[in-house]
Amino acid sequence: MTPTHTPSAPSTTTIATEHGRGSDAVGTSRRARALTYAVLTLAVAATLMPFVWMLLSSFKTQGELLRDPSGWLPKSPTLSNYTAWLGDLHIGHYFLNSLIVAFVTVLGNLLFCSMIGYALAKLDFPGKRLLFALVMITLMVPGVVTFVPLFVMVAKLQLVNTYAALILPYLATPLGVFLMRQFMLGIPDSLLEAARIDGAGHVRTFVRIVLPLCGPPLATLAILTFLSSWNNFLWPLVASQSEDKYTLPVALALYSQGQNATHYGLLLAGSVLVIAPIVALFVALQRFFVQGVATVGIK
């Protein structure tokens, strides 16, 4: 009869060794996680500190800012900087100008960039690769290079000091075209083919099939375009030559400068008013922004 061998139970030493290794691994993981959180907390604090200082210092007087510019809490808080913007300087008019320009620019980018991206991603036509190469080359060209020719073109069209001059040059951007094209490459061709079999043309397919699937990249493009338009300073400064067409950054730069010195309290209060809509927009669309960037990055 062949003897049977029963597996021997692990010894106490082996169990203790494995338990020790497991405890060391858990301890190392916890320390790594704690270190990661500490580094991220420091990074967030370093990022937010200038904004917190700006917000607190906007309630300081000009004299206090000059005496102790590095101080945090205002010794004599005042709302005079905000009342100056909301009263004498009529910030509401400049806010409306910025809102009109940003809103129309965002709508134009959502429409035209998605249309161009759809054509580059899903349609076949002569020169398609060349056109996409031109888009990428344009993406790498600094805006300052085209600044003078763009102004000459706007001047010849007699659009200087109009809303059209502030909006038309930015109705479609290379970054927006690239973003939409990369996302639409991931849309299954079977969906578009099924729409064609049902008799849908390109316009109907684009509106009824493609656009409803492009929520995340459209939200991302809307945020990026709004930020760019809202913070744009150099072009509105040149294209708008009267106060009734000034946008917020232009008004902020011009009216915070006195005859002999900069009014820092007015500048900080205006900066808070300028970035407040941006922060509100990002908080409202943060989920779509992160999803859109992640999705485009994967594709």
Side-chain angles (χ1 to χ4, degrees):
M1 230 180 126
T2 305
T4 57
H5 298 280
T6 58
S8 59
S11 63
T12 306
T13 305
T14 303
I15 296 176
T17 302
E18 293 179 353
H19 179 71
R21 291 176 180 176
S23 301
D24 292 341
V26 172
T28 303
S29 177
R30 289 178 178 176
R31 287 192 296 269
R33 187 181 298 113
L35 179 61
T36 301
Y37 287 156
V39 173
L40 292 177
T41 302
L42 291 176
V44 172
T47 303
L48 294 180
M49 280 177 60
F51 296 99
V52 175
W53 178 87
M54 178 182 68
L55 177 61
L56 295 176
S57 298
S58 65
F59 296 99
K60 296 179 181 179
T61 62
Q62 177 74 354
E64 185 177 353
L65 283 169
L66 294 177
R67 287 193 304 270
D68 186 18
S70 61
W72 285 83
L73 296 177
K75 298 178 181 179
S76 302
T78 177
L79 294 174
S80 60
N81 298 319
Y82 290 96
T83 56
W85 278 112
L86 299 176
D88 300 336
L89 298 180
H90 307 290
I91 195 175
H93 177 73
Y94 309 123
F95 185 91
L96 180 61
N97 287 342
S98 291
L99 189 62
I100 292 173
V101 173
F103 182 74
V104 178
T105 302
V106 168
L107 289 182
N109 274 265
L110 293 181
L111 176 62
F112 297 121
C113 291
S114 58
M115 292 173 63
I116 299 172
Y118 172 72
L120 292 176
K122 295 301 180 181
L123 301 183
D124 292 326
F125 55 89
K128 174 180 175 180
R129 293 185 178 180
L130 177 61
L131 181 60
F132 181 66
L134 291 177
V135 171
M136 297 304 298
I137 292 174
T138 307
L139 184 62
M140 294 181 287
V141 174
V144 180
V145 175
T146 60
F147 192 85
V148 174
L150 185 61
F151 180 78
V152 172
M153 184 184 303
V154 170
K156 288 186 176 181
L157 294 174
Q158 298 181 354
L159 297 177
V160 177
N161 201 36
T162 63
Y163 286 122
L166 301 175
I167 295 171
L168 288 178
Y170 301 98
L171 277 181
T173 58
L175 178 61
V177 173
F178 175 76
L179 182 69
M180 298 305 300
R181 185 250 183 193
Q182 292 302 108
F183 181 85
M184 291 180 182
L185 285 175
I187 297 178
D189 294 334
S190 58
L191 290 177
L192 308 184
E193 190 64 29
R196 294 191 187 98
I197 293 175
D198 290 339
H202 290 302
V203 176
R204 186 178 177 184
T205 301
F206 174 73
V207 175
R208 301 292 296 274
I209 304 297
V210 176
L211 282 184
L213 299 175
C214 295
L218 287 176
T220 303
L221 180 59
I223 294 176
L224 295 178
T225 304
F226 184 86
L227 289 176
S228 177
S229 178
W230 191 265
N231 294 326
N232 195 5
F233 169 74
L234 188 58
W235 178 250
L237 177 64
V238 175
S240 57
Q241 299 181 353
S242 62
E243 293 185 7
D244 62 321
K245 292 297 186 296
Y246 283 171
T247 57
L248 273 176
V250 176
L252 177 63
L254 295 181
Y255 294 138
S256 61
Q257 300 288 332
Q259 294 182 353
N260 300 318
T262 301
H263 197 303
Y264 294 106
L266 202 62
L267 179 62
L268 294 173
S271 300
V272 172
L273 295 175
V274 168
I275 69 171
I278 298 176
V279 174
L281 179 67
F282 181 78
V283 171
L285 300 179
Q286 180 182 10
R287 178 170 61 88
F288 299 100
F289 177 78
V290 174
Q291 184 180 357
V293 173
T295 306
V296 173
I298 293 174
K299 287 178 172 38

